[in-house]
Amino acid sequence: MRVLVIGSGAREHALLLALARDPQVEALAVAPGNAGTAAIAEQRDIDATNGAEVVALARGFGADLVVIGPELPLVAGVADAVRAAGIPCFGPSREAAQIEGSKQFAKDVMSAAGVRTAVSEIVDNPAKLDSALNRFGPPAGQAAWVVKDDGLAAGKGVVVSADRDVARAHAAALLDDGHPVLLESFLDGPEVSLFCVVDGETVVPLLPAQDFKRVGDGDTGPNTGGMGAYSPLPWLAAETVDAIVEDVVKPVAAEMVRRGTPFTGLLYAGLAITSSGPAVVEFNCRFGDPETQAVLSLLESPLGQLLHAASTGSLDSFGALSWRDGSAVTVVVAAEHYPGRPRTGDVITGASAPGVLHAGTARRDDGAVVSSGGRVLSVVGAGADLSAARADAYAKIAGIKLAGSHFRTDIAKTAAGE
Ligand code: GLY
C-alpha cells in the first residue's frame, strides 16, 4: 500500500512512523511535511488546502490511501476531492468536518443525539455581549466563563477565566474581528481525549489520552495548541471509556448518518469527566495533537490497514485493536515566545533521536535543522508506567538544544502519582 499523508506537524510525523510499522505499507509520502518527516517519507511542497493539488499529488505518487491530518484541509473539502478522484481517503467530507468547523453545528448534532454537553449560546452582536455574559459567568453559579471562537482557531480561540473582564475582552476582540462567539457553561472535572476511527455507524476507539493546553506548569498561562499528553489514563475506568463510546460517540456517528453527512475518519471526542458523568467539551474531525504522538506509539495493530478499512467501508470487519503494554508521555518543546509570535530560524541539535518527533522544523540549505514554528518538537517517552515514560521523555529532552525554547516539566506528573 502507498500512503500519502497531508500535514506538517508532529501528529503527521507520528502517523508516518506508525504507518511505516505496517507490513502492508510499502511507500510513504507527506505534504508538506517537515525536517523530521523527510527522513521517512517522500516530501512534497503543495498547498494542502487545495483539493486539486492534493489529488494531482496523490495520482502522481500512485497513492492507495490519502490520510489528512489537520482540520483546515478537511473543512476546505480536500477529502471530498480525493474521494471524487476515486482514491480512498481517511478524513471526513467538508460537511461532516463541520463537527469541528462550527461549534453551533456540533451543538445541534449533540442535541439531536441526546449527548451531554455544556449549555451554550452564540453571540454575534456586540450589543448583546454583556447580557449574555451575565447569564453564563460565576454569578449564575459557574466556576468560570468559557468563551470560544465559533470557528477554527488552532486551540487558541478559547478563554476560560473567572475574571469577567478577561472573558469580556476576549469575546469583544473576536466580535471585532467578525467572529461569532460561543459562551458555554463551565464543565468541571478532568478532561479526556478519546479518538475513534469511524466509518458511518462503525466506531473503533483508540486508547484514551489527556492533553495539557496551558503553556505553563500547574496549568498556568495562556492556552496553546497543546504542550503535552499521556496515554493511557490510569485514573479512568475501562467502563467509562465503553460508556463514552456507547452513549456519546456512537449516537453522534448515527446522527451524522441520519443527517446525510456520514463521518469517515477520526472523530475526536474531548470530554470532561464531571461528578455527573462524562460531558462533551468539543468534537474535532481529526487526530488530536499532541495526544496522537503518545497514543500511536502504543498501537500494535497495523495503522495503514486500519485507516484503509475505514476509508473503504470494511471497518466493521477489522477486529479488535491490539496495544503495547505500558505508557507513553509526549512533551512539546516550544520556541521562545510561543504561544505568542514564536522566534524561528534557530539551529536545533539532538533532534534526530528515536522518539523525537518534528513539528515546526525545516532544513536549511547548509543542512542544519532549524525551528520554523511555535511547537517545534514532540518528544515521546515510553515506559512500563507513567513515571518511567516521563523519565524517558525528559531524558530525551535533555539531549536537545534549541536557544530560547521552553517546555512544561509536569506532563503526566499528577497521574503518575509524583
Ligand atoms: N489536543 C488538542 C487538539 O488537537 O485540538
Side-chain angles (χ1 to χ4, degrees), residues 211 213 225 268 282 284 286 288-291:
D211 71 345
K213 297 191 172 74
Y268 163 159
E282 64 181 3
N284 292 316
R286 37 84 198 169
D289 188 345
E291 300 98 311

Side-chain angles (χ1 to χ4, degrees), residues 360-383:
T361 69
R363 194 165 291 274
R364 222 168 46 185
D365 288 346
D366 64 2
V369 174
V370 296
S371 56
S372 62
R375 291 191 295 167
V376 180
L377 302 168
S378 275
V379 179
V380 182

Side-chain angles (χ1 to χ4, degrees), residues 145-201:
W145 279 275
V146 181
V147 181
K148 296 183 175 177
D149 188 330
D150 182 54
L152 296 177
K156 289 184 269 180
V158 182
V159 160
V160 179
S161 178
D163 183 334
R164 190 181 200 280
D165 291 341
V166 171
R168 190 185 191 292
H170 182 59
L174 289 171
L175 288 167
D176 271 357
D177 287 345
H179 294 219
V181 167
L182 189 85
L183 296 182
E184 275 188 357
S185 59
F186 180 71
L187 293 173
D188 209 356
E191 290 195 6
V192 172
S193 300
L194 186 68
F195 301 162
C196 296
V197 177
V198 172
D199 181 29
E201 298 204 32

